[in-house]
Structures are given as structure tokens and as C-alpha cells.
Amino acid sequence: NVPSAAGQLAGAKTVQQALSGMTPEQLVSRFALSPTEAALCAQVATPMFPLPTHRSAPELEPVDTNPDGFVLKPQREGGGHNTYGAEIPAKLDQLYAERTQDAYVLMERILPPISETCIVRDGRILGPMPVISELGIYSAAIYAVEEGGVTSDLADGHTVFQQSVVHVGRSPYLLRTKDASSGEGGVVTGAGSIDVIAE
């Protein structure tokens, strides 16, 4: 069976946006974190914002004057869908004209340190070249259907089950490196390359 709606939505941009705006005190009360854990979470959270109702809203002025400081992200994963830098104002014009701005969030751009290395891709060595790297730490959740846990049968024939969480924990990591001039970093899209951490 598939995870609960909460499990499916946990990685959504809107949820990330809500978490990024929480204070350490809110993180402590909502997720039972220690004050130290909450402070660490707040320290590394990058601000994300919903798009305002109107294109002329003052909240968008920083984006128009300094678009390189932001990334415009849709509610989807997999890479290749974000809008960066000078392309953002025109993309915002399009979204507001189509009235689809609610499907996007705005994030302050993360500017990681640049290093120089070679990348091996398709058996060829590229570089040396300026690159940036990104470390992704994954987590996993295992759910179980509770005994007698059918809560309702929907009109469309689907059944809703009551689920409980059996295990939540950290999974393996993904370290990827890309050309420093590239906005996208998805490995599947060909923009990034997978790294191995030397131990």
C-alpha cells in the first residue's frame, strides 16, 4: 500500500516553505525537539515564501531588483523545473498572467563555495573546472496498516486505511557535483554527477 497523505506531502515545497518559516520555539513545541536541535534546524533552513496574490506586490520588489538572489520552484521534484536569476521576472509575469502562481514558491538562493575538480561522465574526463557540490541526506519511513484499520470506502472504489508508523530513520546519502555555472543539479537530467566520499 502507499504511504499516508501526510507521508506523501512531507517532501512537498509548500511543507518545506512552512518549516523554513518556523522559529526555534515553534519547532520545539511542534516536533518535540530539544532547544539545541531546534536552533540547528533554524540555522540551516533557507527562507522560502509563497507568491503574493498580485504581481505588483511589494514582496516581489527584491526579486525584480536582485533576481540572482532567488530561485523560483514549482511543486514538483526531479530537477529541470526551477527558474533562476534573470529569468525569474519574466517567469513571474507569465505565472500571474496565467493565474498559476500558487503552484510555485520563491526561495532565497543558496550560494555554496566553489571548488575546482574534474568530473568523469560517460567515460570521459571533463575539466578541471569550477564546480559546486550538494549533499543530500535521505530519510525513510515504514508504515503498517493497523488491525481493523479500514476507515472508509470512497465512492470511487478506493479504500482508506488507518496507518501507523513502524520506523522512521536516516537512509543513505547522495553527494553530487555540477558545473558551477549550472542552475540545475539533477543527476537524472544530466546536470550533476554522483560522487563517492573517500573514507
Side-chain angles (χ1 to χ4, degrees):
N1 63 316
V2 298
S4 65
Q8 294 279 24
L9 293 171
K13 296 292 189 299
T14 298
V15 174
Q16 295 172 19
Q17 170 206 313
L19 293 173
S20 75
M22 296 181 76
T23 65
E25 294 75 21
Q26 290 170 325
L27 290 169
V28 168
S29 63
R30 179 67 179 85
F31 300 107
L33 300 179
S34 71
T36 300
E37 292 170 330
L40 288 172
C41 289
Q43 182 180 341
V44 299
T46 300
M48 300 176 73
F49 317 95
L51 292 179
T53 305
H54 303 290
R55 177 65 178 90
S56 58
E59 295 94 324
L60 293 178
E61 289 181 9
V63 184
D64 289 319
T65 57
N66 180 32
D68 288 333
F70 297 90
V71 181
L72 187 61
K73 296 188 168 191
Q75 295 287 346
R76 57 191 303 184
E77 295 294 338
H81 311 294
N82 297 336
T83 305
Y84 296 87
E87 297 178 359
I88 294 178
K91 182 67 174 180
L92 287 173
D93 292 340
Q94 175 191 338
L95 295 179
Y96 280 94
E98 297 171 350
R99 298 184 179 180
T100 55
Q101 71 272 13
D102 289 344
Y104 286 74
V105 296
L106 197 61
M107 185 183 87
E108 288 186 8
R109 190 167 184 175
I110 300 171
L111 299 173
I114 297 175
S115 59
E116 189 166 290
T117 191
C118 294
I119 294 177
V120 179
R121 183 177 295 161
D122 298 328
R124 297 180 296 118
I125 298 177
L126 307 177
M129 59 196 294
V131 299
I132 56 177
S133 298
E134 175 183 297
L135 177 64
I137 304 294
Y138 292 87
S139 61
I142 300 175
Y143 298 83
V145 177
E146 296 179 0
E147 185 175 351
V150 177
T151 57
S152 64
D153 289 308
L154 304 180
D156 63 3
H158 290 85
T159 302
V160 178
F161 294 91
Q162 191 76 26
Q163 295 179 325
S164 59
V165 178
V166 176
H167 170 78
V168 175
R170 193 176 73 185
S171 293
Y173 64 85
L174 172 65
L175 180 64
R176 59 188 180 185
T177 295
K178 64 176 183 178
D179 185 328
S181 64
S182 172
E184 295 294 343
V187 173
V188 175
T189 61
S193 298
I194 297 177
D195 294 305
V196 176
I197 298 178
E199 299 184 4

